[in-house]
Every structure is written in C-alpha cells, then in structure tokens.
Amino acid sequence: MTDFSIAKFNNYQEYLHSFTTVEDFRYLPFHKTVITLTKLGYREHRTFYEEDEFLNVKKQVEQLLNPTVSAQIYYSQYFKGTDPALWALAEREHGNVQQEISTIIFLEISGRSGFSKSGYIDFEASLRNYRFKGPNAVDWKAVFEERKLLKPQPSDIVFYDWKTRKIFANDNDNYTVVAHPEHGLMFAHKGDHKNIPVTTKKNPFSSNVRRSMIRSNLYGFIILYDHHVRKKT
C-alpha cells in the first residue's frame, strides 16, 4: 500500500525531524542519539524509512498524485463498435483526460423492477477513478468494449432512484452541486468557477455549456454537457 503521508515532506531531513519532539532534545541533547532511537523503532509505531526507501516511496506518491501525460491510458482505444453514445464519449475522452473540456453525462437506466435510476456522471473523474482503481470504479475498458453497460450510481455527482425516491448529490474535485433558486440544478466547475446548467431554458449561464442529446441502441438517449475549461493565465 502506498504511503501518501510521505507527500508532505520536501526532503529526507524534514521527514526525520517529524519524529522528534522538544522533549527529545531536552533529555537527549545529541541529534544522532535521537535519530538512532527513531531508526530502532522507539519513537512511533509508523513505518520508518531509510533515505533510499524514502526517496523511492516519495517518487511513487508524486507519480500517482501528478501523473504525466505519457502515462495516461485511453480506454476508447478498445471501442470497435458503432454505437453513437460510445462514439461520442470516445471522441471526448482525450479532451477530458487533458482537462481541456469537462463532460457531464446524463443517463437513465431502467431496472428489472420497472423503475429507473438516473444520474449525472463526471466523465473525467470517472475515468480517473477507474485508472487508479478507486471505490465504485466504472470499468471503462469493458464499457467501450460493450461488455458492460455504463450505469449511474449513488457515488456520481447526482443520482436519483425512482423507486425509493432517494436522491444523492456529491461534490467532487471537479464540481460543486448547486441548487439555483431560479435556474434549478447546475454544477459549478472548481477549475474556472463557471456554472454549468442542465436546463434547456435560456439563462445567464447557457454559454458555459454545449448540450448534446444522442440516441443510442444501448442506452436509449443520453445527454452530454460539454464545458470548455478556461485555463488560468
């Protein structure tokens, strides 16, 4: 398991210093003595790393927290079909991964009980969650291969179960869910602070999003909300 606590230390000296207290230097005035006790495991129960181990772990953590472009995996490469919905998502995957655009997927799936489940899915966040094997991850490789259907779930930014009448709204690192008193449901993008409305009615935020309704043999209709992310200058 990756030790993400290492990320907060700029170098090995800072890491070593984190094991010491003022009392240590009061009763053990020699720095080497304090460090020796730390290495022997007398200071804390957390894992102690030698310098080379520390540098290796820190490198792993930084790669996970700040993945390079070359390390990105594009699951749309597995799409060989003709379904318009999956085709549209395949076209948008690169732009979402590079965070040039941000696509929200609206999807409604009918269950065996006859009741539907609907939700708004943050495409970029969902792709990233699968790449890092996070909780409730969507298997995007299987989705593009048409082995599994994409389905809304309670962990999405908005989810509604028509049988139980339960609604879930979840802020994530891309969006804050907003219930606007006049214009209804919208999503505030945390990167450029633009509001993304879902209503078809004209409103002051309409220019922030391009709305596309797509007919699909697999999904019926899906709606894609594309927001071009404004980069900081």
Side-chain angles (χ1 to χ4, degrees):
M1 182 179 293
T2 305
D3 187 353
F4 285 94
S5 67
I6 295 299
K8 62 185 178 181
F9 302 110
N10 293 316
N11 52 54
Y12 190 62
Q13 292 304 315
E14 285 188 10
Y15 169 70
L16 287 178
H17 187 70
S18 71
F19 286 91
T20 63
T21 65
V22 174
E23 284 73 17
D24 287 333
F25 291 98
R26 180 178 300 168
Y27 299 107
L28 298 170
F30 297 102
H31 180 70
K32 289 185 178 180
T33 304
V34 175
I35 298 305
T36 299
L37 290 175
T38 298
K39 290 182 177 181
L40 291 174
Y42 290 108
R43 305 307 303 121
E44 293 188 28
H45 295 297
R46 59 182 165 130
T47 303
F48 178 82
Y49 299 104
E50 295 290 348
E51 186 168 7
D52 57 340
E53 295 174 320
F54 169 84
L55 294 174
N56 286 332
V57 173
K58 184 171 176 60
K59 183 177 179 180
Q60 292 174 7
V61 170
E62 288 175 346
Q63 287 177 341
L64 288 173
L65 295 177
N66 303 290
T68 60
V69 173
S70 60
Q72 299 292 357
I73 299 172
Y74 295 97
Y75 302 106
S76 56
Q77 67 180 302
Y78 300 104
F79 176 58
K80 308 300 181 184
T82 59
D83 184 76
L86 292 179
W87 180 268
L89 291 174
E91 286 186 315
R92 289 163 168 79
E93 184 186 15
H94 183 273
N96 274 268
V97 170
Q98 299 302 317
Q99 297 188 345
E100 296 166 355
I101 63 171
S102 179
T103 300
I104 295 173
I105 308 163
F106 174 78
L107 183 64
E108 185 169 299
I109 297 292
S110 296
R112 294 179 180 178
S113 63
F115 289 93
S116 298
K117 294 179 180 180
S118 58
Y120 291 86
I121 303 168
D122 180 345
F123 188 30
E124 186 278 327
S126 184
L127 287 166
R128 177 159 39 91
N129 190 44
Y130 176 59
R131 181 169 178 264
F132 291 114
K133 310 304 179 188
N136 305 312
V138 172
D139 186 343
W140 279 102
K141 181 176 182 292
V143 168
F144 279 116
E145 289 177 335
E146 299 185 16
R147 292 188 290 108
K148 291 184 178 180
L149 286 176
L150 177 63
K151 297 179 180 180
Q153 50 187 336
S155 56
D156 289 321
I157 47 178
V158 169
F159 172 85
Y160 186 68
D161 187 327
W162 290 84
K163 181 179 181 180
T164 62
R165 303 292 180 180
K166 289 185 177 180
I167 187 168
F168 298 84
N170 305 293
D171 297 345
N172 66 9
D173 51 359
N174 286 333
Y175 288 103
T176 299
V177 182
V178 177
H180 195 280
E182 183 178 354
H183 305 296
L185 176 66
M186 61 178 61
F187 303 99
H189 192 275
K190 292 182 177 179
D192 59 13
H193 308 290
K194 298 291 185 179
N195 288 326
I196 314 303
V198 301
T199 180
T200 57
K201 295 180 179 180
K202 191 72 174 177
N203 64 76
F205 312 106
S206 297
S207 62
N208 294 335
V209 65
R210 181 166 62 89
R211 183 180 185 274
S212 305
M213 179 178 286
I214 301 169
R215 183 179 178 85
S216 164
N217 295 326
L218 294 174
Y219 298 99
F221 285 96
I222 71 169
I223 302 174
L224 301 181
Y225 299 88
D226 295 315
H227 170 60
H228 285 269
V229 180
R230 183 177 179 180
K231 300 293 184 180
K232 294 181 179 179
T233 56

